[in-house]
Amino acid sequence: MSGQSSSKHVAVITGGARGIGLAVAKWFLAHDHRVALLDIDAETLKKTDQAFNDPANVLTVHCDVSKEDQVNAAITKIEQTFGRIDALVNNAGVAVFKPIGETTFAEFRHVLGTNLDGAFLCSQACVPVMKKHGGGAIVNIASISGLRASTLRVAYGTSKAALLHLTKQQAVELGTVGIRANCVAPGPVDTEMAKLVHSVAIRSDYYDTIPMNRYAEPEEIANAVGFLCSPAASFVNGQFISVDGGFDASGVGIPTLRKSQGL
């Protein structure tokens, strides 16, 4: 497969072994793309690769996106294997949930290293490959936590807010060479990770703030990502879409409103 020449488009998804990244990969495969999945979790990545069992269309690469040498090696391998890159989805992310005073600098840097530096490094590596084939699309996965503050998210929220601005910088500079950059900001998503760390009380708090009274499904985030990478979004550049059920728009009083409507 090395040096495969094909006009079939290629999407690179970081954090692609599970959750939102895996849902995004499935969207691209369903829309006639090949996909390259980068992930730091080698064991889960191997299981995902085995589940797809489709080497012609799926390439998995073990990679820590916060490490420049690993990112450059991964993107080189993808280009050598598939011959092109048309879309990059910067989805890889980590979080530390602690009060400001208890968050160590090492923890703060670890979160920014993956969530922000990773998006910068992967974009920098992919852009030259995209330019060889006339352009492409970058979608950064931020978070509602980058738009509104909440407790215990000093590192995570700050990294995602910075990612929103990185998206605008990318859009301004890369739009001139045919590469669009946009951002999706999910609210709570019903992934396996969320099920592990969100207690019943936390889920109830979210439901009280989200007008649609539920979490998103990973596929709903993938649909927004896919749209932004598609020709249907050919003039959308430097924007963000909150896929959050109205979370960012809401203030206080949602439970009271529901009761008044008999819901």
Side-chain angles (χ1 to χ4, degrees):
M1 276 190 58
S2 182
Q4 181 184 122
S5 60
S6 171
S7 60
K8 195 172 184 180
H9 284 195
V10 174
V12 176
I13 302 118
T14 70
R18 61 183 165 187
I20 292 171
L22 181 57
V24 170
K26 290 178 178 177
W27 187 96
F28 277 110
L29 288 169
H31 290 79
D32 200 32
H33 282 65
R34 294 168 290 167
V35 298
L37 310 182
L38 276 58
D39 208 291
I40 196 172
D41 184 345
E43 184 178 346
T44 303
L45 187 65
K46 182 178 180 180
K47 291 177 181 177
T48 299
D49 189 40
Q50 292 171 341
F52 278 123
N53 191 27
D54 186 6
N57 292 297
V58 179
L59 173 68
T60 58
V61 185
H62 182 234
C63 177
D64 179 347
V65 297
S66 71
K67 307 298 184 186
E68 185 177 11
D69 57 340
Q70 293 189 33
V71 168
N72 289 338
I75 301 309
T76 296
K77 182 175 182 179
I78 293 166
E79 184 180 17
Q80 289 174 344
T81 303
F82 285 154
R84 61 187 297 156
I85 294 173
D86 303 276
L88 167 64
V89 181
N90 285 309
N91 168 70
V94 295
V96 172
F97 298 119
K98 288 185 177 181
I100 292 173
E102 296 177 18
T103 302
T104 67
F105 182 63
E107 289 170 332
F108 187 81
R109 279 305 323 156
H110 172 60
V111 173
L112 266 72
T114 298
N115 299 2
L116 180 62
D117 300 354
F120 171 78
L121 291 171
C122 289
S123 300
Q124 217 174 33
C126 285
V127 162
V129 186
M130 289 180 173
K131 288 168 69 175
K132 293 177 185 179
H133 297 273
I138 296 171
V139 173
N140 298 315
I141 305 298
S143 169
I144 202 70
S145 294
L147 297 169
R148 56 185 297 175
S150 55
T151 56
L152 310 182
R153 285 169 171 79
V154 61
Y156 185 76
T158 300
S159 72
K160 295 300 188 177
L163 191 56
L164 288 165
H165 191 75
L166 176 64
T167 302
K168 291 185 177 183
Q169 292 291 153
Q170 291 171 331
V172 170
E173 294 190 30
L174 301 178
T176 61
V177 294
I179 298 172
R180 298 180 297 104
N182 293 288
C183 196
V184 170
V189 183
D190 217 359
T191 61
E192 289 302 316
M193 187 174 295
K195 291 172 184 175
L196 288 173
V197 301
H198 286 194
S199 66
V200 173
I202 289 174
R203 293 181 79 95
S204 178
D205 287 343
Y206 274 122
Y207 290 164
D208 284 350
T209 313
I210 299 170
M212 293 185 71
N213 198 32
R214 66 176 177 85
Y215 282 24
E217 294 297 327
E219 293 75 17
E220 292 176 303
I221 310 302
N223 287 338
V225 172
F227 163 71
L228 289 172
C229 290
S230 75
S234 57
F235 205 57
V236 181
N237 191 30
Q239 304 303 308
F240 67 85
I241 297 178
S242 295
V243 186
D244 66 351
F247 185 20
D248 182 46
S250 70
V252 297
I254 293 294
T256 302
L257 178 62
R258 287 200 186 103
K259 289 177 182 178
S260 72
Q261 295 174 335
L263 299 176

